[in-house]
Amino acid sequence: MNKKFHWRFMVLRWHRRIGLVLSIFLLWMLASGVLLNHSDDLLLSKRFINNTKLLQWYGVAPPPRYQAFDKNIDVTADGLWLEQQNLGHCSSFLGIAILDEMSVAACAERIVLLSNQAEVIDQIDEPRGLKQRFLAMSQYNQTIFLKDEHSIYQLNTDDLSFSVVNPSQSLSWFAPSLPSKQISLERVLLDAHSGRLLGGWGKSLVDAFAAILFILLISGWWLAKKRHKI
């Protein structure tokens, strides 16, 4: 075996080994790239992760989650979410009360009525005429009470109006929940695609893979050229 052939054999052997390792990286880049290209079709920006460890990796606490019949309500910094439907801003979630024919979800600045199928019947907020900013909500049988800094109100679910009351019974107030930031699947895919998911060194790792891939392309071109000459 002459020296020229020996070098060509070594390059070919390492070309195959490195190419096999990088194939995993290439498959991931291709798959994540296709998913991101169809992000709007797949609604990736409206699908949020619930994995506790992944949220901790981002330094985010899981958003408070409640059940409205068979659907989830998430309290996030981006709004009050009924599954993938954003119901609007919610600076403080006061709770959800289940009635016979509907349920009532209350925020400090928003009251939402939901049907037994967890569909929005009606809601009221400041643009729709809500003047109060509530601090807490309570349920007594089929009656909903809310309070602000000055008064206690009874909610009329027929027209979402409020009347000041002085309840004779003792009320138990729900504990409010503060919203938490949400991380979308689109954000996770973008960070994983670029390497930012692994922090500062993740971007360097992706750059290194790209550089090695470039070397593989050059070495592959060189091997093909040498083989053609033999």
Side-chain angles (χ1 to χ4, degrees), residues 19-222:
L20 182 62
V21 174
L22 283 186
S23 63
I24 301 174
F25 168 75
L26 287 175
L27 285 173
W28 165 247
M29 295 298 286
L30 288 171
S32 59
V34 169
L35 289 173
L36 289 171
N37 192 43
H38 294 277
S39 177
D40 293 338
D41 300 326
L42 299 173
L43 300 176
L44 296 182
S45 63
K46 296 182 179 180
R47 298 179 184 273
F48 304 101
I49 61 173
N50 297 311
N51 186 278
T52 303
K53 291 185 178 180
L54 191 53
L55 288 172
Q56 289 176 348
W57 184 265
Y58 276 96
V60 174
R65 168 166 286 186
Y66 298 84
Q67 287 282 332
F69 300 99
D70 61 341
K71 292 187 179 181
N72 295 322
I73 292 181
D74 293 313
V75 187
T76 78
D78 299 322
L80 184 67
W81 290 85
L82 176 64
E83 296 291 341
Q84 297 178 23
Q85 181 182 2
N86 193 330
L87 302 180
H89 181 65
C90 184
S91 62
S92 175
F93 188 70
L94 307 182
I96 183 166
I98 307 298
L99 307 179
D100 288 340
E101 298 180 355
M102 67 183 70
S103 60
V104 179
C107 296
E109 62 284 278
R110 182 182 308 278
I111 306 296
V112 183
L113 298 185
L114 302 172
S115 69
N116 289 339
Q117 290 73 42
E119 298 174 342
V120 177
I121 301 173
D122 197 3
Q123 64 174 313
I124 186 171
D125 53 15
E126 185 176 355
R128 297 178 176 89
L130 182 63
K131 298 179 180 179
Q132 298 88 346
R133 186 176 181 86
F134 299 112
L135 300 176
M137 180 176 72
S138 178
Q139 178 181 5
Y140 185 81
N141 295 329
Q142 296 295 301
T143 305
I144 304 299
F145 298 94
L146 296 116
K147 68 177 180 178
D148 60 12
E149 293 181 351
H150 308 289
S151 305
I152 295 177
Y153 303 87
Q154 181 176 325
L155 172 65
N156 185 339
T157 56
D158 292 332
D159 57 4
L160 287 178
S161 62
F162 303 90
S163 57
V164 178
V165 295
N166 186 17
S168 58
Q169 66 273 18
S170 177
L171 298 177
S172 178
W173 299 96
F174 299 158
S177 298
L178 295 177
S180 176
K181 185 177 180 181
Q182 277 192 310
I183 305 297
S184 68
L185 286 176
E186 183 182 51
R187 166 76 182 279
V188 174
L189 282 173
L190 281 170
D191 289 347
H193 189 81
S194 64
R196 291 194 299 267
L197 186 62
L198 300 178
W201 65 272
K203 294 188 292 184
S204 301
L205 182 63
V206 172
D207 291 341
F209 279 145
I212 295 172
L213 180 60
F214 176 76
I215 294 173
L216 282 179
L217 292 173
I218 297 299
S219 63
W221 174 81
W222 180 79

Side-chain angles (χ1 to χ4, degrees), residues 1-17:
M1 180 182 296
N2 57 46
K3 186 175 181 180
K4 182 178 180 180
F5 184 79
H6 172 70
W7 276 106
R8 180 176 176 274
F9 179 76
M10 285 187 61
V11 171
L12 179 61
R13 182 172 59 184
W14 282 105
H15 182 90
R16 289 174 176 173
R17 291 176 178 176

